[in-house]
Amino acid sequence: MRASRRMALYGIGGGVTVSSVSTAAHTAANLSSISWDDLKAYGDAIAADTAHTYSNGTKSVTFSDGQTLGIGDVKSVVLSGTVGALTFSDLTNYCFILGFRHNFSVEGTGIHFQFGKTGLGGTDVAFVDSAYNSNGSTAAFRANTSDTSSGGWDSSYMFGTIISAFYNAVPSSLQSVVATMTKYTDNTGGGSDTAAYVTATNEQFSLPAEFEIFGARTYANSAEQNYQQQYAYYKAGNSAKKYKHSATGTDCAYWPRSPSVSNSSAWIKVSSDGATGSSNYCNISFGFAPIFSIGTAA
């Protein structure tokens, strides 16, 4: 890193600070030339910022060194390793900014991202594997390996196996800066709309919940939304529709983290048309579009 860059982020005066935040429309930029360490410094500045007001209408943040970050900005990530039935062989994909100081009083982090995109101005994609749209118990992007939502999110195969495997597939430079988010989800499942089933988990990588995508609850436990906020990227009107990472002309269904309350074998899906729905098969393989955050207040 050049000395001038390091001074801008970590120099005299306590490092970079937030100069302004904006709800005006933002034109997305490619952040790939900015290191994860530098992005973490921006995330830390946002997490520590008490001088400005943030909401899910916040579209961009400008810092004391002149850098502006905005929702939809992309950064390339090279993925390597096996996650479920999918092996990443130095695959370049792009994560994009979902929001700033998102739901901060609950989650406590600075900048939230989601995978993936094909590049700046490119297609929104979810990762899919060879088992896509089929039921089974083999390794794949399944909510569970049996057809049940019992145990909810924190006992699911997706949470316990797929998410942790994805962490190992991202580069160490990203692993070293990922923050811990406090997420609330139905962690009991079983198809009952019981408020006490919604509890907290501490997560580094996760999936977005139904309410975090759509800003409305249809199939999730009705108490989830009490602890959640719609992400700014989706609040701004960006579509929830995603396409297969391996066939970007083909749309796909993908998983949120919310179990469905419609019955004991149902999990919520985002349908291939980008609408929320309920899948009666928890052990089907759908797309995988994980989220994470960086930046915490000192």
Side-chain angles (χ1 to χ4, degrees):
M1 184 188 302
R2 293 184 303 174
S4 60
R5 183 67 168 167
R6 183 172 292 278
M7 285 180 65
L9 294 177
Y10 299 109
I12 296 171
V16 69
T17 58
V18 174
S19 297
S20 63
V21 303
S22 177
T23 58
H26 172 76
T27 300
N30 192 334
L31 309 178
S32 297
S33 64
I34 304 178
S35 72
W36 281 114
D37 282 342
D38 285 2
L39 285 171
K40 180 184 182 300
Y42 293 130
D44 289 345
I46 290 170
D49 182 26
T50 58
H52 300 91
T53 300
Y54 296 78
S55 71
N56 62 351
T58 300
K59 294 183 176 68
S60 65
V61 180
T62 299
F63 299 89
S64 55
D65 66 350
Q67 179 69 50
T68 296
L69 304 179
I71 60 169
D73 285 358
V74 300
K75 180 170 173 57
S76 59
V77 180
V78 178
L79 302 169
S80 298
T82 298
V83 184
L86 179 63
T87 296
F88 297 110
S89 299
D90 293 332
L91 173 72
T92 298
N93 193 259
Y94 290 77
C95 59
F96 59 93
I97 294 178
L98 281 173
F100 303 100
R101 207 174 163 91
H102 170 80
N103 199 20
F104 185 79
S105 63
V106 176
E107 301 187 30
T109 57
I111 307 173
H112 287 239
F113 293 81
Q114 184 173 25
F115 285 93
K117 281 184 181 283
T118 57
L120 181 62
T123 303
D124 282 41
V125 298
F127 301 117
V128 297
D129 55 33
S130 58
Y132 177 77
N133 209 29
S134 66
N135 303 86
S137 59
T138 58
F141 293 143
R142 312 183 195 279
N144 272 317
T145 53
S146 58
D147 190 19
T148 178
S149 68
S150 179
W153 168 243
D154 71 348
S155 296
S156 70
Y157 171 77
M158 178 63 70
F159 178 84
T161 300
I162 297 298
I163 292 289
S164 60
F166 186 76
Y167 175 90
N168 292 326
V170 306
S172 59
S173 57
L174 174 51
Q175 291 176 356
S176 67
V177 301
V178 171
T180 298
M181 308 173 287
T182 301
K183 289 290 190 182
Y184 279 81
T185 320
D186 185 332
N187 287 315
T188 298
S192 175
D193 190 21
T194 302
Y197 289 178
V198 176
T199 57
T201 49
N202 294 323
E203 308 183 40
Q204 291 182 301
F205 285 89
S206 188
L207 297 180
E210 180 189 39
F211 189 82
E212 291 171 342
I213 299 170
F214 296 101
R217 173 263 176 187
T218 303
Y219 299 99
N221 188 308
S222 59
E224 282 195 2
Q225 64 189 310
N226 297 338
Y227 307 94
Q228 297 170 353
Q229 184 183 61
Q230 186 181 24
Y231 274 111
Y233 179 81
Y234 296 110
K235 174 74 170 178
N238 291 291
S239 175
K241 184 172 182 175
K242 299 191 186 299
Y243 293 78
K244 294 182 176 182
H245 84 282
S246 54
T248 56
T250 303
D251 52 28
C252 65
Y254 62 97
W255 292 118
R257 72 174 186 275
S258 304
S260 174
V261 296
S262 64
N263 63 57
S264 62
S265 64
W267 205 277
I268 292 173
K269 66 177 179 180
V270 179
S271 302
S272 58
D273 62 359
T276 187
S278 180
S279 171
N280 288 338
Y281 301 102
C282 296
N283 63 343
I284 198 169
S285 179
F286 283 145
F288 175 66
I291 61 175
F292 67 95
S293 67
I294 60 175
T296 56

